Amino acid sequence: MSQRKRAVKNRRPKVIPMRLDATFFFERAVQSLDRYHYDKALKYFRRAVEYEPENPVNHCNMAGILSEMGRYEESNVILRSVLDQIDPAMTECYYYLANNYANMELFEAAEEALVRYLENDLEGQFLEESDELLDLLHYELNRPTKLVTIKAKENVYAHDKARELLEAGRFTEAVKILEEIISRQPDFLAARNNLGLAYYYMGLFDKSVATITEVLAVEPGNLHALCNLAIFYQHSNQEEQLRALIEKLNKTVPFHPEHVFKLATTLGIVGEHREAYQHFRRLLRTGELSGEPSLHHFAAIAAVNLKRYEEAKKYWQNAERLDPESPVPKFYLKRLDAVRAGGENPPTHYHYHLPFEEQFKQWEHSPGQVTEAIKNDPLIRSSFFWALRHGDRRTKVQVIQALGLVADEEVIEALKSFLVDPDEEDELKRVAVLVLRSIGVQDSLAVTFSGRTLTLEARRKSARLPVWDSSWQVVLEHALEGMAGRYDVVQQHDMMTLWVDYLSRVYPEVPKLHKSTAWAAALEYWTAKMHRRTVTYADLVSRYGVSQASISRYANRIDEACGIREKLDLTRQSFN
């Protein structure tokens, strides 16, 4: 073989064959666009479409070039074919159509296409450009565009709604919306933060901490999450974790007033009054929030804990001047001298409402007032839900009874959740069951008693009691005490149901309950009869310390109202 032939043979493997496919022509089209060679770019995009006719991106690229060349109608034909024949889910085509129609001065058609884009596009790639186009259409059509929703902003709108519900104290509704948002958009940290806060207001500590921890796993410096977690740690007595977090917060100097306020109140709640006071004073000096009476109140709380009594007095006077109708500044001004003299402890809670115990004193003889307060004041509402979970026993009883006066869906859900909490006392759960029955909740109830979850069957609906009197509760407690250890949970529940039924039937002509133990014995008497349990008057007299005549008289009154003896006779006949 000659040397020349060998050289030719050796060169052949170096020839790289050109692969003509959609990618090749796409790249050539992009190169032509970079050089503003629109005719060549169009030619190459057409070839890309020929190789991949089912790929909507190639069609959209071709439509985009035609639009750049001013050939809007041709561009629209391609865009409509993409939506009608190739990929109806490619919603950005509606935005391209709207742009083309606007350039053609067909503003009605542009508006229709833009609305279709905004109401159907999930990604929101062209939201900013859409805002500009909306402004143009508003000007040209001399009217605003009617939009039902912006699909890409649905979670934002839902989050705003959830925040409104939180501020209104409707925590259960807020939780449902926030959970749905996070299921759709897990990286929506603001929604996750507020969900943790909603759980906290409902007294669900474990869920609160878990949710906030998820936020910090994504964004370790999220100030709202750090502040929320500090409060959660304090109320769950996790001192070591709280101390480490406080050290971090004390080194934080936020810029935005909203962040400063959040940090200041958090530091105050966890007992860091000096740092809290500095941040409150900083906010008041800037003037942006100086007209808020609550801010002056918080500054006063911090000052009085630092024994700066004159400064505390000045801030409470400012709050009173800004909010003369509120009882809060007046209440604390009256007690300032006692705190200064050491006769009272300084207040430590950073809330712009009266202390919980004081609220109950004022509402003790006014059920309507407490109902309106819980319904209309989210701070008071949240304090009741908090006390339901974390107050002492006496406070919880008061809260359960007070919530029964409100009796909305959220209260019912909160009380039902309370019934299955294994950490709550059985006696408190019995009160909650009684209140639920008294407000008309007659469906089955799941209750955890002594570690066992039981279902209390649905009962016949009785007339709703508008109030729950403390004397009625005394009878109930005597009966529960007398029946303890002798009757199971279901039988005790039936006794409570009987008591509510009796009171409902005779209300408002409820007799004076001077002999509460005798009424309690009468309730046990009928409960035993309903469950075919043997009980004698002698036994009841011995255990309740009342006369047989009294027990018999009250048992007859209950029977007259409820017709128990007749029902028992009918039951016996059906078994004979």
Side-chain angles (χ1 to χ4, degrees), residues 293-305 308-320 323 326-341 344-359 362 379-380 383:
S294 59
L295 181 57
H296 292 269
H297 169 68
F298 298 149
I301 295 287
V304 80
N305 277 279
R308 299 184 177 185
Y309 301 117
E310 288 304 316
E311 293 171 52
K313 181 178 181 179
K314 178 189 72 175
Y315 288 125
W316 270 318
Q317 287 173 338
N318 288 342
E320 185 177 30
D323 190 7
S326 172
V328 176
K330 299 178 179 66
F331 173 83
Y332 286 103
L333 281 169
K334 286 180 180 178
R335 281 155 179 76
L336 184 58
D337 288 338
V339 174
R340 190 197 298 256
E344 288 186 16
N345 292 324
T348 56
H349 66 277
Y350 284 73
H351 300 292
Y352 190 54
H353 57 67
L354 295 176
F356 199 76
E357 299 78 10
E358 185 64 25
Q359 292 172 9
Q362 295 189 7
L379 285 175
I380 292 175
S383 71

Side-chain angles (χ1 to χ4, degrees), residues 17-25 28 44 47 51:
M18 183 179 294
R19 184 179 179 183
L20 300 179
D21 58 10
T23 302
F24 170 81
F25 288 110
R28 288 297 179 91
Y44 287 131
R47 294 299 304 276
Y51 276 94

